[in-house]
C-alpha cells in the first residue's frame, strides 16, 4: 500500500493538453456546405491522461502532483489555473521557454462518443533531464498517463522511473494509448517488469499482445513482468487478472453524455481505492462507478466531484449483468 508518511500520495506523469469541447453537432457538419452550425456547448478545459488522473485523484482526497511540461503562453496559464482550482500540486511542473502545449478540439457526438482534432505543439514531451528522480522516493504511487504517448520516456526512461519508485515502496501504474507513432507492439517491454498495475483499453491491449480473449491478453502481460492487469472494456466493464486472482466486473447502465476521460477517471478511482488498502474487487467496482458517472456530464474531469458523489451514484444506478465466466 505504500508508506502513509510520504510527501505525495501520487505523482502523475504524462502529457497535458487544452481541450476545446464542442457538443451536439451533426455528423455532416464539415460536409453539408453550410458555413455556420450551432453547437450545444463550447467549453475550454485542461485535459490529457495525466491531468485527468491527477485532477480526479485530488477530488477524491489525495495529494496528487502533476509531472509534465507546460508552456508559458495563455494556453499554459489557463491550464495552470485549472490545475490549481482542482487542487493538483503543480510544484513538479516544468515550463521551458520553447514548450508549446497543444490544443485538441473534442467533438462530442450525440451518442456521447467523441472524435479528436489534434493541433500542433512544440517540445511538449517530458524529458528525463526535466526530472529529479529523488521525488519518486517521496510518493506512495506513480502513474504513467499514458505509455505510447510519453516521448523518450517510453523507450527507457519510464522503466528507470518505475524501478526507482518500486524500490522506494511505491505502487507503479500505467495507462496506455494507441501507438500513433508506430513504435511497435514491443516498444514498451522494458517497462512491464516494473509495473504493478497495467490498465490498457481492450483495443490497445489487442494491438500490443495480438490476442483477443481477455485471459490470453492478460497472460501475455503477466508473462512480460506486469504484476496485475486491469483491462478496461468500456460498456462491458473491466477484467482483472494477476497470479492469484481473476474476475470480471460488470458495468453500470448509463446513457452517456460524453465519454471523454472515462478511462482516466477509472484509473484514478482504482488507484484511490488501492491507496486505501482495498481489495482489487472493491477497486474495480468503484472504478467502474467513477467511469460511468463521468460519462453523465461534459468534460474529461469536470463532472465527478468527490468519493461521496461516486458512492451515491453506485447506490442508485443499475448494473448490467453479463454472466461471464
Amino acid at each position: 500500500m505504500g508508506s502513509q508518511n510520504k510527501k505525495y500520495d501520487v505523482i502523475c506523469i504524462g502529457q497535458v493538453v487544452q481541450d476545446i469541447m464542442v457538443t451536439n453537432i451533426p455528423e455532416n457538419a464539415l460536409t453539408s456546405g453550410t458555413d455556420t452550425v450551432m453547437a450545444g456547448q463550447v467549453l475550454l478545459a485542461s485535459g490529457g491522461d495525466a491531468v485527468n488522473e491527477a485532477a480526479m485523484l485530488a477530488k477524491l482526497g489525495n495529494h496528487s502532483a502533476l509531472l509534465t511540461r507546460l508552456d508559458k503562453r495563455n494556453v499554459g496559464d489557463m491550464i495552470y489555473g485549472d490545475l490549481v482550482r482542482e487542487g493538483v500540486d503543480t510544484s513538479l511542473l516544468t515550463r521551458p521557454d520553447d514548450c508549446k502545449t497543444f490544443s485538441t478540439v473534442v467533438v462530442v457526438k450525440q451518442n456521447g462518443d467523441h472524435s479528436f482534432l489534434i493541433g500542433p505543439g512544440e517540445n511538449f514531451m517530458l524529458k528525463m533531464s526535466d526530472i529529479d528522480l529523488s521525488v519518486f522516493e517521496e510518493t506512495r504511487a506513480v502513474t504513467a498517463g499514458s505509455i505510447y504517448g510519453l516521448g523518450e520516456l517510453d523507450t527507457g526512461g519510464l522503466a528507470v522511473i518505475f524501478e526507482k519508485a518500486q524500490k522506494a515502496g511505491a505502487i507503479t501504474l500505467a495507462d496506455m494509448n494507441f501507438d500513433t507513432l508506430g513504435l511497435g507492439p514491443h516498444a514498451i517491454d522494458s517497462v512491464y517488469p516494473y509495473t504493478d498495475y497495467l490498465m490498457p483499453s481492450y483495443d490497445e491491449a489487442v494491438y500490443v499482445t495480438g490476442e483477443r480473449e481477455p485471459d490470453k491478453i492478460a497472460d501475455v502481460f503477466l508473462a512480460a513482468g506486469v504484476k496485475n492487469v486491469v483491462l478496461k472494456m468500456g460498456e462491458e466493464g473491466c477484467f482483472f487478472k494477476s497470479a492469484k486472482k481473476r474476475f470480471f466486473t460488470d458495468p453500470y447502465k448509463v446513457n452517456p453524455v460524453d465519454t471523454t476521460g472515462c478511462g482516466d477517471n477509472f484509473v484514478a478511482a482504482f488507484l484511490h481505492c488501492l491507496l486505501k488498502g482495498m481489495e482489487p474487487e472493491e477497486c474495480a467496482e468503484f472504478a467502474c462507478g467513477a467511469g460511468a458517472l463521468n460519462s453523465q456530464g461534459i468534460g474529461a474531469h469536470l463532472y465527478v466531484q468527490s468519493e461521496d458523489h461516486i458512492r451515491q451514484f453506485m447506490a442508485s444506478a443499475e448494473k448490467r449483468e453479463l454472466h461471464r465466466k
Side-chain angles (χ1 to χ4, degrees), residues 133-156:
L133 288 173
S134 68
V135 299
F136 301 110
E137 298 175 359
E138 302 179 59
T139 186
R140 300 174 63 204
V142 181
T143 70
S146 295
I147 53 177
Y148 282 110
L150 299 177
E152 72 174 47
L153 268 63
D154 278 331
T155 53

Side-chain angles (χ1 to χ4, degrees), residues 66-318:
L66 180 64
L67 178 54
T68 189
R69 281 189 167 201
L70 183 65
D71 77 18
K72 292 181 175 179
R73 304 173 304 131
N74 289 342
V75 169
D77 288 343
M78 185 224 89
I79 292 170
Y80 187 90
D82 240 10
L83 296 171
V84 171
R85 283 189 294 275
E86 296 283 20
V88 175
D89 185 325
T90 58
S91 64
L92 301 182
L93 290 177
T94 181
R95 303 189 72 178
D97 291 333
D98 63 352
C99 170
K100 180 180 177 182
T101 300
F102 65 95
S103 298
T104 298
V105 178
V106 184
V107 180
V108 183
K109 302 173 185 177
Q110 293 178 343
N111 66 355
D113 289 341
H114 51 264
S115 297
F116 297 113
L117 307 176
I118 300 175
E122 297 175 7
N123 299 311
F124 55 83
M125 291 289 197
L126 196 65
K127 299 183 181 298
M128 287 299 286
S129 58
D130 296 325
I131 301 171
D132 176 3
L133 288 173
S134 68
V135 299
F136 301 110
E137 298 175 359
E138 302 179 59
T139 186
R140 300 174 63 204
V142 181
T143 70
S146 295
I147 53 177
Y148 282 110
L150 299 177
E152 72 174 47
L153 268 63
D154 278 331
T155 53
L158 187 60
V160 173
I161 290 169
F162 272 15
E163 182 180 17
K164 180 85 169 178
Q166 276 193 339
K167 286 181 176 178
I171 297 168
T172 57
L173 186 155
D175 199 349
M176 188 178 283
N177 275 342
F178 287 106
D179 181 15
T180 56
L181 297 179
L183 300 178
H186 296 288
I188 317 297
D189 285 0
S190 65
V191 177
Y192 299 142
Y194 307 107
T195 304
D196 291 317
Y197 292 85
L198 181 67
M199 297 191 171
S201 73
Y202 174 79
D203 290 337
E204 293 158 353
V206 167
Y207 164 76
V208 172
T209 65
E211 300 288 353
R212 303 198 70 84
E213 296 179 18
D215 271 298
K216 291 182 178 180
I217 288 171
D219 288 343
V220 172
F221 288 127
L222 294 173
V226 175
K227 306 297 186 298
N228 304 271
V229 178
V230 186
L231 199 59
K232 295 177 294 188
M233 302 179 69
E235 62 182 14
E236 294 189 14
C238 72
F239 174 71
F240 176 93
K241 192 169 187 180
S242 68
K244 296 181 179 179
K245 287 189 175 183
R246 172 201 180 277
F247 61 86
F248 285 97
T249 300
D250 288 338
Y252 287 87
K253 291 182 180 179
V254 291
N255 293 315
V257 174
D258 176 17
T259 58
T260 309
C262 289
D264 302 330
N265 280 252
F266 178 101
V267 170
F270 194 102
L271 179 54
H272 170 69
C273 292
L274 283 178
L275 291 172
K276 295 181 73 172
M278 296 183 182
E279 292 297 317
E281 293 87 347
E282 298 173 287
C283 298
E285 191 73 34
F286 185 73
C288 283
L293 178 58
N294 181 71
S295 76
Q296 301 303 283
I298 300 296
H301 60 78
L302 301 178
Y303 189 70
V304 179
Q305 298 303 310
S306 64
E307 179 170 346
D308 283 346
H309 191 194
I310 297 171
R311 296 287 182 196
Q312 289 168 10
F313 167 79
M314 293 169 64
S316 61
E318 288 186 70

